[in-house]
Coordinates of all heavy atoms in Angstrom, one line a residue:
K1 N -36.2 5.2 18.0 CA -35.1 6.2 17.9 C -33.7 5.5 17.7 O -32.9 6.0 16.9 CB -35.0 7.0 19.2 CG -36.2 8.0 19.3 CD -36.0 8.8 20.6 CE -37.1 9.8 20.8 NZ -37.0 10.6 22.0
A2 N -33.5 4.4 18.3 CA -32.2 3.7 18.2 C -32.1 3.2 16.7 O -31.0 3.3 16.1 CB -32.1 2.5 19.2
S3 N -33.2 2.6 16.2 CA -33.1 2.1 14.8 C -32.9 3.3 13.8 O -32.2 3.1 12.8 CB -34.5 1.4 14.5 OG -34.6 0.3 15.4
R4 N -33.5 4.4 14.1 CA -33.3 5.6 13.2 C -31.9 6.1 13.2 O -31.3 6.4 12.2 CB -34.3 6.7 13.6 CG -34.2 7.9 12.7 CD -35.1 9.0 13.2 NE -34.6 9.4 14.5 CZ -35.3 10.3 15.3 NH1 -36.4 10.8 14.9 NH2 -34.8 10.7 16.5
Q5 N -31.3 6.1 14.4 CA -29.9 6.5 14.5 C -28.9 5.5 13.8 O -27.9 5.9 13.3 CB -29.5 6.7 16.0 CG -30.2 7.8 16.7 CD -29.8 8.0 18.2 OE1 -29.0 7.1 18.7 NE2 -30.4 8.9 18.8
I6 N -29.2 4.2 14.0 CA -28.4 3.2 13.3 C -28.5 3.4 11.8 O -27.5 3.3 11.1 CB -28.8 1.8 13.7 CG1 -28.5 1.6 15.2 CG2 -28.2 0.8 12.8 CD1 -29.1 0.3 15.7
A7 N -29.7 3.7 11.3 CA -29.9 3.8 9.8 C -29.6 5.2 9.3 O -29.6 5.4 8.1 CB -31.3 3.4 9.5
S8 N -29.3 6.1 10.2 CA -29.0 7.5 9.8 C -27.7 7.7 9.1 O -26.7 7.3 9.7 CB -29.2 8.5 11.0 OG -28.9 9.8 10.6
D9 N -27.6 8.3 7.9 CA -26.4 8.5 7.3 C -25.6 9.7 8.0 O -24.4 9.7 7.9 CB -26.6 8.9 5.8 CG -25.4 9.0 5.0 OD1 -24.7 8.0 4.8 OD2 -25.0 10.1 4.6
Y10 N -26.4 10.6 8.6 CA -25.7 11.7 9.3 C -24.9 11.2 10.5 O -23.8 11.6 10.7 CB -26.8 12.7 9.7 CG -26.3 13.9 10.5 CD1 -25.7 15.0 9.9 CD2 -26.4 13.9 11.9 CE1 -25.2 16.0 10.6 CE2 -25.9 14.9 12.7 CZ -25.3 16.0 12.0 OH -24.8 17.1 12.8
K11 N -25.5 10.3 11.3 CA -24.8 9.7 12.4 C -23.7 8.9 12.0 O -22.6 8.8 12.6 CB -25.8 8.9 13.2 CG -26.8 9.7 14.0 CD -26.2 10.4 15.2 CE -27.3 11.1 16.0 NZ -26.7 11.9 17.1
Y12 N -23.8 8.2 10.8 CA -22.7 7.4 10.3 C -21.5 8.2 10.0 O -20.4 7.7 10.2 CB -23.3 6.6 9.1 CG -22.2 5.7 8.4 CD1 -21.8 4.5 9.0 CD2 -21.7 6.1 7.2 CE1 -20.9 3.7 8.4 CE2 -20.7 5.3 6.6 CZ -20.3 4.1 7.2 OH -19.4 3.3 6.6
K13 N -21.7 9.4 9.4 CA -20.5 10.2 9.0 C -20.2 11.3 10.1 O -19.4 12.2 9.8 CB -20.9 10.9 7.7 CG -21.1 9.9 6.6 CD -21.3 10.6 5.3 CE -21.5 9.7 4.1 NZ -21.8 10.3 2.8
E14 N -20.8 11.2 11.3 CA -20.5 12.2 12.3 C -19.1 12.2 12.7 O -18.4 13.3 12.9 CB -21.5 12.0 13.4 CG -21.4 13.1 14.5 CD -22.4 12.9 15.6 OE1 -23.1 11.9 15.6 OE2 -22.4 13.7 16.5
G15 N -18.5 11.0 13.0 CA -17.1 10.9 13.4 C -16.2 11.4 12.4 O -15.1 12.1 12.7
Y16 N -16.5 11.2 11.1 CA -15.6 11.6 10.0 C -15.6 13.2 9.9 O -14.6 13.8 9.7 CB -16.1 11.0 8.7 CG -15.4 11.6 7.5 CD1 -14.1 11.4 7.2 CD2 -16.2 12.4 6.6 CE1 -13.5 12.0 6.0 CE2 -15.6 13.0 5.5 CZ -14.3 12.8 5.2 OH -13.7 13.3 4.1
R17 N -16.8 13.8 10.1 CA -16.9 15.2 10.0 C -16.2 15.9 11.2 O -15.7 17.0 11.1 CB -18.4 15.6 9.9 CG -19.0 15.5 8.6 CD -20.3 16.2 8.5 NE -21.3 15.5 9.4 CZ -22.1 14.5 9.0 NH1 -22.0 14.1 7.7 NH2 -23.0 14.0 9.8
K18 N -16.2 15.2 12.4 CA -15.5 15.8 13.5 C -14.0 15.9 13.3 O -13.4 16.9 13.8 CB -15.8 15.0 14.8 CG -17.2 15.2 15.3 CD -17.5 14.4 16.5 CE -18.9 14.6 17.1 NZ -19.1 13.8 18.3
Q19 N -13.4 15.0 12.6 CA -12.0 15.0 12.5 C -11.5 15.7 11.2 O -10.3 15.8 11.0 CB -11.4 13.6 12.5 CG -11.9 12.8 11.2 CD -11.3 11.4 11.3 OE1 -10.5 11.0 12.1 NE2 -11.6 10.6 10.2
L20 N -12.5 16.2 10.4 CA -12.1 17.0 9.3 C -11.4 18.3 9.7 O -11.9 19.0 10.6 CB -13.3 17.3 8.4 CG -13.9 16.2 7.6 CD1 -15.2 16.7 6.9 CD2 -12.9 15.7 6.6
G21 N -10.3 18.6 9.1 CA -9.5 19.8 9.4 C -8.6 19.7 10.6 O -7.8 20.7 10.8
H22 N -8.5 18.6 11.3 CA -7.6 18.5 12.4 C -6.2 18.2 12.0 O -5.3 18.5 12.7 CB -8.1 17.4 13.3 CG -9.4 17.7 14.1 ND1 -9.9 16.9 15.0 CD2 -10.2 18.7 14.0 CE1 -11.0 17.4 15.5 NE2 -11.2 18.5 14.9
H23 N -6.0 17.7 10.8 CA -4.7 17.3 10.3 C -4.2 18.3 9.3 O -3.2 18.1 8.6 CB -4.6 15.9 9.7 CG -5.0 14.9 10.7 ND1 -4.2 14.5 11.7 CD2 -6.2 14.2 10.8 CE1 -4.8 13.5 12.4 NE2 -6.0 13.3 11.9
I24 N -4.9 19.4 9.1 CA -4.4 20.4 8.1 C -3.4 21.4 8.8 O -3.6 21.8 10.0 CB -5.6 21.2 7.6 CG1 -6.6 20.3 6.8 CG2 -5.2 22.4 6.7 CD1 -7.8 20.9 6.4
G25 N -2.4 21.7 8.1 CA -1.4 22.6 8.7 C -0.2 21.9 9.3 O 0.5 22.5 10.1
A26 N 0.1 20.6 8.9 CA 1.2 19.9 9.5 C 2.5 20.5 8.9 O 2.5 21.0 7.7 CB 1.1 18.5 9.2
R27 N 3.6 20.6 9.7 CA 4.8 21.2 9.2 C 5.5 20.4 8.1 O 6.1 20.9 7.2 CB 5.8 21.3 10.4 CG 5.3 22.3 11.4 CD 6.3 22.4 12.6 NE 6.2 21.1 13.3 CZ 7.0 20.8 14.4 NH1 7.9 21.8 14.8 NH2 6.9 19.7 15.0
N28 N 5.3 19.0 8.1 CA 5.9 18.2 7.1 C 5.0 16.9 7.0 O 4.1 16.7 7.8 CB 7.4 17.9 7.3 CG 7.6 17.4 8.7 OD1 6.7 16.9 9.3 ND2 8.8 17.5 9.2
I29 N 5.4 16.1 6.0 CA 4.6 14.9 5.8 C 4.8 13.9 7.0 O 3.9 13.1 7.3 CB 5.0 14.2 4.5 CG1 4.7 15.2 3.3 CG2 4.3 12.9 4.3 CD1 5.1 14.7 2.0
E30 N 6.0 13.9 7.6 CA 6.3 12.9 8.7 C 5.4 13.2 9.9 O 5.2 12.3 10.7 CB 7.7 13.0 9.1 CG 8.7 12.3 8.1 CD 9.0 13.2 6.9 OE1 8.5 14.4 6.9 OE2 9.6 12.8 6.0

């Protein structure tokens, strides 16, 4: 199971998918 999770592309991009959309809607670029 540990080897499968290390080799899993889904687990590799899980952190990226969690932060998607969190920075949308900022008032300005700063």
Side-chain angles (χ1 to χ4, degrees):
K1 288 183 178 180
S3 300
R4 184 184 62 186
Q5 290 179 359
I6 291 172
S8 174
D9 187 69
Y10 177 79
K11 289 289 184 181
Y12 177 73
K13 297 181 179 179
E14 185 178 2
Y16 169 71
R17 281 192 294 269
K18 285 182 178 179
Q19 66 179 358
L20 288 178
H22 290 186
H23 299 287
I24 298 176
R27 291 176 297 177
N28 49 25
I29 299 177
E30 285 77 6

